[in-house]
Amino acid sequence: MAAQTTSSSESLVLRQPVLGARRFSNYFWATVVSVGATGFFLASISSYTKTNFLPFSDPTQLVFVPQGLVMGFYGTAGLLLATYLWLTISWDLGGGYNEFNKEKGEVKIFRWGFPGKDRKVEVDLKTSDVQAVKVTLREGVNPRRSLYLKVKGMRDIPLTRVGQPMTLAELENEAAGLAKFLSVPLEGL
């Protein structure tokens, strides 16, 4: 969840943007995979046609079977992975917002999903159904620091983004601020 929150109408609406797939790390890895896969694929084509398509190397000296064939396989697999990464970024999977509206008594959780009939993932709730704000902490090799909304008759709804965990101070501030805004208890700290 982004550290920035916006409030309007004298603190009656709290809107928290959630960063999705459009992160620097995703752009970086999509670019690296694209460049590497293109190099492997061009090396494979160069070894097959005996025409050099790479300016920094001479793959025409490679024997097509098995070396050029394997490089073509790696290049094709890499290009498919790069396509997936670029589509994920362009669709902004996981991006959206959390909106808490005291004036209307509504909570809206919105996220973008994969294209199709269920592309928009929306959860609309009443603020009176919110029981608590829950914090989950798990340290170790794969740390998890998550913020959830406990709602009557539903499972806990995650509010934080997927990916790199928030710092403990950020998580505490977000949780305390949200619990205070919604006038509900804070669990897990």
Side-chain angles (χ1 to χ4, degrees), residues 129-150:
D129 291 340
V130 177
Q131 293 178 324
V133 174
K134 182 179 174 184
V135 177
T136 303
L137 297 172
R138 188 178 75 195
E139 299 299 327
V141 177
N142 189 15
R144 174 180 289 167
R145 297 179 186 141
S146 304
L147 192 58
Y148 293 91
L149 205 59
K150 276 185 89 169

Side-chain angles (χ1 to χ4, degrees), residues 81-144:
L81 176 61
T83 301
Y84 170 75
L85 291 172
W86 286 114
L87 286 174
T88 299
I89 290 168
S90 68
W91 292 328
D92 194 23
L93 295 180
Y97 59 89
N98 305 325
E99 185 176 273
F100 307 94
N101 191 332
K102 279 184 171 179
E103 186 177 12
K104 295 180 182 178
E106 296 175 348
V107 175
K108 184 173 187 169
I109 311 296
F110 177 83
R111 301 290 186 276
W112 287 109
F114 285 100
K117 66 177 184 160
D118 295 327
R119 170 136 166 77
K120 293 181 180 180
V121 179
E122 293 179 274
V123 177
D124 293 315
L125 311 162
K126 295 188 180 294
T127 53
S128 59
D129 291 340
V130 177
Q131 293 178 324
V133 174
K134 182 179 174 184
V135 177
T136 303
L137 297 172
R138 188 178 75 195
E139 299 299 327
V141 177
N142 189 15
R144 174 180 289 167

